[in-house]
């Protein structure tokens, strides 16, 4: 009987090389996953066309005030009460925001946005989360970032309702907010401050408007009511 004598280590060596190859592949996959997780996530908002603005912003006295640098002395004083969970507020924003921006930039109006959270019903829901995020942007970032962020919060309200704070922060990042602003949104740095101002806005509306509801528009102290609210900007576009 004849035959080739095989090296007893040949089979084990082949097995070891196969195991080593699998280990190398596994390490490569894990490294890819880790590196991918470290990359900043990008949402659809990063590629959305943004609206440039040429007005100033001040977060003070419980409002976000939008005002042109050369606002006229007789510019109308507009108080806008809104809640980020209010679909009627979203409709008003859709109908009037573009013209409101033109009127602000023309120096014809000064707009004070009174954000509320009454639709949360006393809980920390979407109104509080979105309101806090928008307020944080207003306090820490540029007028353009705030305007575009508020626009997204209103225009895409139905899709964004109930999103996590991290997701709301990511949208701010994709719209150009600074890293400091994004971190402040994530940490809820200004949540307590926002809740106090929202409560104050609701108390003020209760006093000047008899009840808390939204949206509400007051021009020089007089409320614009009914369907006229959806065209309140018309006299200020000349």
């Amino acid at each position: 009987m004849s035959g080739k004598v095989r090296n007893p280590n040949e089979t084990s060596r082949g097995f070891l090389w196969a195991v080593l190859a699998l280990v190398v592949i596994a390490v490569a996959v894990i490294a890819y996953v880790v590196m991918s997780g470290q990359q900043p996530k990008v949402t659809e908002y990063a590629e959305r066309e943004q609206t440039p603005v040429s007005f100033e912003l001040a977060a003070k006295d419980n409002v976000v005030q939008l005002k042109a640098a050369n606002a006229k002395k007789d510019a109308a004083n507009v108080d806008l009460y809104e809640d980020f969970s209010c679909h009627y507020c979203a409709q008003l924003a859709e109908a009037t925001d573009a013209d409101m921006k033109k009127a602000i930039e023309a120096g014809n109006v000064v707009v004070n946005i009174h954000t509320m959270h009454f639709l949360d019903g006393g809980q920390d829901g979407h109104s509080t989360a979105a309101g806090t995020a928008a307020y944080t942007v207003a306090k820490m970032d540029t007028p353009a970032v705030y305007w575009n962020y508020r626009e997204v919060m209103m225009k895409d309200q139905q899709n964004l309702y109930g999103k996590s704070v991290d997701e709301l922060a990511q949208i701010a990042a994709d719209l150009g907010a600074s890293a400091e602003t994004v971190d402040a949104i994530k940490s809820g740095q200004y949540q307590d401050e926002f809740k106090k101002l929202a409560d104050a806005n609701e108390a003020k509306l209760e006093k000047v408007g008899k009840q808390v509801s939204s949206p509400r528009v007051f021009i020089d102290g007089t409320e614009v009511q009914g369907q006229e609210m959806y065209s309140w900007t018309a006299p200020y576009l000349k």
Side-chain angles (χ1 to χ4, degrees):
M1 182 175 179
S2 63
K4 184 178 179 180
V5 178
R6 300 187 58 166
N7 184 340
N9 294 322
E10 186 176 324
T11 300
S12 60
R13 286 177 181 174
F15 175 75
L16 289 174
W17 279 111
V19 171
L20 181 60
L22 290 174
V23 170
V24 170
I25 293 172
V27 170
V29 170
I30 292 172
Y32 173 78
V33 171
V34 171
M35 292 301 293
S36 296
Q38 292 176 345
Q39 296 298 317
K41 297 179 181 179
V42 178
T43 71
E44 61 180 291
Y45 301 105
E47 299 186 4
R48 177 177 291 194
E49 184 176 356
Q50 296 187 35
T51 303
V53 304
S54 57
F55 52 69
E56 299 175 345
L57 176 153
K60 62 179 184 178
D61 301 328
N62 299 324
V63 304
V64 175
Q65 185 179 84
L66 308 180
K67 179 181 179 181
N70 60 343
K72 298 173 182 176
K73 291 183 179 180
D74 62 347
N77 192 66
V78 180
D79 290 291
L80 171 60
Y81 291 82
E82 61 185 24
D83 185 311
F84 283 110
S85 295
C86 168
H87 68 279
Y88 291 115
C89 296
Q91 290 176 5
L92 180 65
E94 183 73 21
T96 62
D97 270 9
D99 286 339
M100 181 173 79
K101 173 179 174 293
K102 292 177 183 177
I104 295 169
E105 293 176 338
N108 295 330
V109 300
V110 174
V111 175
N112 301 296
I113 299 178
H114 301 253
T115 309
M116 303 182 291
H117 66 160
F118 72 99
L119 289 176
D120 276 351
Q123 304 299 314
D124 289 344
H126 181 75
S127 297
T128 300
T132 300
Y135 179 64
T136 302
V137 172
K139 283 185 69 75
M140 299 184 66
D141 233 289
T142 67
V145 174
Y146 172 77
W147 180 265
N148 284 278
Y149 191 74
R150 175 179 167 275
E151 181 179 72
V152 164
M153 289 297 107
M154 287 298 185
K155 189 172 184 178
D156 292 5
Q157 185 185 95
Q158 289 187 338
N159 293 332
L160 297 179
Y161 188 88
K163 292 292 185 182
S164 69
V165 171
D166 283 351
E167 289 172 306
L168 297 178
Q170 182 60 50
I171 294 171
D174 289 340
L175 293 173
S178 68
E180 292 76 14
T181 301
V182 174
D183 288 343
I185 294 173
K186 289 182 178 179
S187 69
Q189 180 176 339
Y190 292 108
Q191 179 172 291
D192 289 342
E193 187 173 324
F194 168 75
K195 289 166 71 174
K196 288 179 182 179
L197 76 83
D199 289 341
N201 284 328
E202 290 163 21
K204 183 175 182 178
L205 183 58
E206 182 85 48
K207 182 178 180 179
V208 301
K210 309 304 180 185
Q211 64 176 347
V212 176
S213 59
S214 62
R216 305 283 288 277
V217 176
F218 294 78
I219 300 178
D220 292 331
T222 300
E223 185 168 12
V224 182
Q225 297 182 324
Q227 287 301 311
E228 291 183 4
M229 182 172 58
Y230 292 89
S231 58
W232 73 261
T233 56
Y236 307 103
L237 298 176
K238 301 175 182 178

